[in-house]
Amino acid sequence: PLARMAVLADYAVRIIDPRTAFATSERFPNVALSHDWPDEALEKDPLGPRSAVVALTHDPKLDDLALMEALKSPAFYVGALGSQKNNDARRIRLTEFDLSPADIERLHGPVGLDIGALTPEEIAVSIAAEMIQHRHQRGGPGEHGHHRRGELQWGSGYRRSLHAVRDTAELIDELLAKDYRRGVDVVHRETPGD
């Protein structure tokens, strides 16, 4: 469910799993698949500031290798599925790798916002929401760290609404200008009533 949720949120998704029985195009249509070991896959195609990594296998041989590479990268979000107890044990294991305490502190685990999620689909929503929240946080890493909603915590509800509209319009203008300069085609979708 997380891969589908991420595709809906306009992320380019890559599944990295050397277990070919699990990482199949039937299970994960429309996403890139890698059957390399996680550390090898991430060395071949490094993570950047617009990357997010979520370890989901519950297998330390796979998850820890992915996390080791991801925590050393500029990825804006690194998370791992599992209970608090499992994540505490994972953090102890990660100290055995060439990671600083600050690197390990970047790990989100248990992964996802605490919304009381129970089903795989609800857990996927909580993980995607936390990724999006972290990507847009003021001062967060990556190109999206300029989040403007911090201003919205002040003033009356009316002022917050005006800021939101103004800030959204400014952000759209900036994005359109950047896309235009890069030569990217921007498509306007008409909504009913336009």
Side-chain angles (χ1 to χ4, degrees):
L2 181 58
R4 288 192 312 262
M5 185 71 54
V7 168
L8 287 173
D10 206 28
Y11 284 87
V13 176
R14 174 172 48 152
I15 304 290
I16 302 172
D17 194 334
R19 304 169 303 172
T20 55
F22 291 101
T24 65
S25 58
E26 292 79 25
R27 287 187 72 203
F28 301 105
N30 305 317
V31 301
L33 298 175
S34 171
H35 293 113
D36 292 327
W37 282 86
D39 56 332
E40 295 168 356
L42 295 177
E43 286 174 10
K44 285 181 188 177
D45 191 7
L47 301 167
R50 297 178 66 179
S51 300
V53 175
V54 182
L56 300 168
T57 70
H58 296 290
D59 183 346
K61 293 187 306 283
L62 298 173
D63 288 350
D64 290 1
L65 291 173
L67 295 171
M68 174 186 67
E69 292 299 322
L71 290 169
K72 291 189 286 186
S73 79
F76 74 86
Y77 181 88
V78 180
L81 193 63
S83 67
Q84 185 64 54
K85 180 180 175 182
N86 287 339
N87 274 284
D88 291 343
R90 177 179 290 121
R91 283 180 171 82
I92 291 169
R93 285 193 313 272
L94 289 172
T95 63
E96 298 171 10
F97 295 108
D98 185 25
L99 294 169
S100 71
D103 291 335
I104 296 170
E105 183 64 30
R106 292 182 54 216
L107 177 62
H108 293 263
V111 72
L113 295 178
D114 185 6
I115 60 171
L118 299 174
T119 67
E121 292 78 12
E122 291 173 343
I123 293 168
V125 167
S126 75
I127 294 169
E130 185 177 50
M131 287 169 42
I132 292 165
Q133 177 189 52
H134 191 71
R135 187 178 98 204
H136 292 294
Q137 282 179 338
R138 178 180 288 284
E143 295 178 19
H144 300 286
H146 62 276
H147 180 49
R148 298 166 189 259
R149 276 193 292 177
E151 299 172 32
L152 304 184
Q153 297 173 3
W154 305 102
S156 68
Y158 180 70
R159 289 185 71 184
R160 285 195 297 268
S161 297
L162 288 177
H163 284 299
V165 170
R166 185 202 70 211
D167 291 344
T168 302
E170 288 175 4
L171 182 58
I172 289 170
D173 288 343
E174 288 173 22
L175 292 173
L176 289 174
K178 287 179 187 175
D179 286 342
Y180 180 75
R181 284 195 302 270
R182 290 185 198 148
V184 175
D185 292 329
V186 178
V187 177
H188 170 72
R189 292 186 186 150
E190 291 190 17
T191 57
D194 279 353

